[in-house]
Amino acid sequence: MIASLEMAPEVAARFDRLKQRPVALEVKGLTKHFDTPKGTVVALEDLSFSVHKREFTCVIGPSGCGKSTLVRILAGLETPTGGEVLVGGNPVQGPGPDRGMVFQSYTLFPWLTVKQNVMFGPQMSGASSTSAEGEARQWIDLVGLSRFENSYPNQLSGGMKQRVAIARALANQPKVLFMDEPFGALDAQTRASMQAHLLEIWKSVDITIVFITHDLDEAVYLSDRILVLDANPGRFREMVEVPVARPRTPEQVFEPSFKAARHHIDHLIHPPGKVEAETPVLRMVKHDPDVV
């Protein structure tokens, strides 16, 4: 099901244009089972959706819905139990240069400088040192770290490390960039800055982005569409078309369209009447009526 919230004519027209683009990523009947000592766990079940070229899609859902498992399968880092993933019409059968990946943790090589980290991919693909260095400098410029190209990861802040990780992933010129909660470990101020920076990068590069997040505001702020998953097992719930105009600005969080999208997604993830599991409480002091 695709949900179309009320949107302005110019936003609706943008979605019409988006749907005319080629499909960059297609997922068909994806299923993933894990065998455990307690039996088989179904992480994903019969999941199907598609993402268009240069679309920014976020994936969100409750804990246990299989978001990270999904993105690892899409990137070719895990094998599905059933179904298939196509990138540019070609089946995914393992990691490949047509896909880039940015993780939540800082996965840079600590013994390499910023420039050397970004050069790594092109060099592994056969580029000469001179060519790889020139290519790396372009991506380092794009993420705004030219002054730090000779710095090592331990000399960078968390946000800067993730910018290097993005540059390193883009240096291989993938068709699709997968991002698994890349800003989850950052403080709120740095996270907001990185979100804005990512949108600027996305506008400047011919890339399709699939972004995993648990943050409702982040999903609405970044994406064209939001894939909402159910949990236990992870199933397709709804594909939500975000009715917020582009370019995005922080002030849009106060607009009715932003609030409506956020409320709709929150309703999907936490439906009214659903009873949440109670957290057991162990009281370490005697009851004080003034402390509630």
Side-chain angles (χ1 to χ4, degrees), residues 26 84-94 98-99:
E26 189 170 10
E84 64 177 341
V85 178
L86 305 173
V87 172
N90 300 312
V92 170
Q93 297 177 332
D98 57 345
R99 283 152 286 133

Side-chain angles (χ1 to χ4, degrees), residues 20-76:
Q20 300 304 313
R21 299 176 191 166
V23 172
L25 170 70
E26 189 170 10
V27 175
K28 298 180 178 180
L30 194 67
T31 300
K32 179 65 177 179
H33 297 170
F34 291 101
D35 292 325
T36 73
K38 295 184 178 180
T40 300
V41 174
V42 182
L44 297 169
E45 185 174 76
D46 195 25
L47 186 61
S48 299
F49 65 94
S50 60
V51 178
H52 293 272
K53 181 178 173 64
R54 294 215 69 191
E55 182 178 355
F56 198 130
T57 301
C58 280
V59 180
I60 198 167
S63 177
C65 70
K67 297 187 294 291
S68 292
T69 299
L70 171 62
V71 76
R72 290 181 63 83
I73 292 174
L74 299 182

Side-chain angles (χ1 to χ4, degrees), residues 33-269:
H33 297 170
F34 291 101
D35 292 325
T36 73
K38 295 184 178 180
T40 300
V41 174
V42 182
L44 297 169
E45 185 174 76
D46 195 25
L47 186 61
S48 299
F49 65 94
S50 60
V51 178
H52 293 272
K53 181 178 173 64
R54 294 215 69 191
E55 182 178 355
F56 198 130
T57 301
C58 280
V59 180
I60 198 167
S63 177
C65 70
K67 297 187 294 291
S68 292
T69 299
L70 171 62
V71 76
R72 290 181 63 83
I73 292 174
L74 299 182
L77 301 176
E78 286 192 23
T79 304
T81 306
E84 64 177 341
V85 178
L86 305 173
V87 172
N90 300 312
V92 170
Q93 297 177 332
D98 57 345
R99 283 152 286 133
M101 183 77 176
V102 178
F103 300 89
Q104 179 176 341
S105 58
Y106 309 129
T107 55
L108 304 178
F109 299 126
W111 59 89
L112 299 181
T113 65
V114 167
K115 182 173 65 179
Q116 291 167 339
N117 264 284
V118 181
M119 288 172 61
F120 182 80
Q123 285 183 308
M124 291 298 98
S125 298
S128 66
S129 295
T130 301
S131 175
E133 184 173 358
E135 184 81 12
R137 281 207 167 103
Q138 292 181 26
W139 295 109
I140 293 169
D141 287 345
L142 181 68
V143 299
L145 290 176
S146 298
R147 290 173 48 216
F148 300 92
E149 67 172 39
N150 294 316
S151 299
Y152 288 88
N154 65 359
Q155 298 172 311
L156 306 177
S157 67
M160 293 165 72
K161 290 177 185 176
Q162 284 300 58
R163 279 192 270 169
V164 178
I166 293 170
R168 188 176 67 176
L170 292 175
N172 292 315
Q173 300 185 32
K175 295 178 181 177
V176 185
L177 179 64
F178 299 107
M179 309 185 79
D180 189 7
E181 300 196 43
F183 308 148
L186 303 177
D187 63 83
Q189 192 171 22
T190 304
R191 185 175 187 141
S193 175
M194 286 298 299
Q195 291 167 355
H197 204 84
L198 178 60
L199 288 178
E200 289 301 314
I201 293 170
W202 174 63
K203 287 193 296 184
S204 304
V205 181
D206 183 11
I207 192 75
T208 303
I209 297 179
V210 176
F211 188 105
I212 307 299
T213 183
H214 62 271
D215 187 296
L216 300 181
D217 290 326
E218 182 170 66
V220 176
Y221 179 68
L222 292 175
S223 59
D224 293 309
R225 296 191 299 165
I226 301 170
L227 171 62
V228 182
L229 299 180
D230 278 332
N232 302 314
R235 295 191 184 101
F236 180 95
R237 177 68 184 271
E238 196 169 289
M239 184 70 87
V240 180
E241 296 179 342
V242 178
V244 183
R246 291 195 186 274
R248 302 281 165 80
T249 63
E251 292 74 25
Q252 287 174 308
V253 298
F254 302 108
E255 293 182 359
S257 59
F258 193 105
K259 292 180 179 179
R262 190 192 189 286
H263 175 77
H264 181 72
I265 297 164
D266 189 33
H267 180 87
L268 292 174
I269 297 174

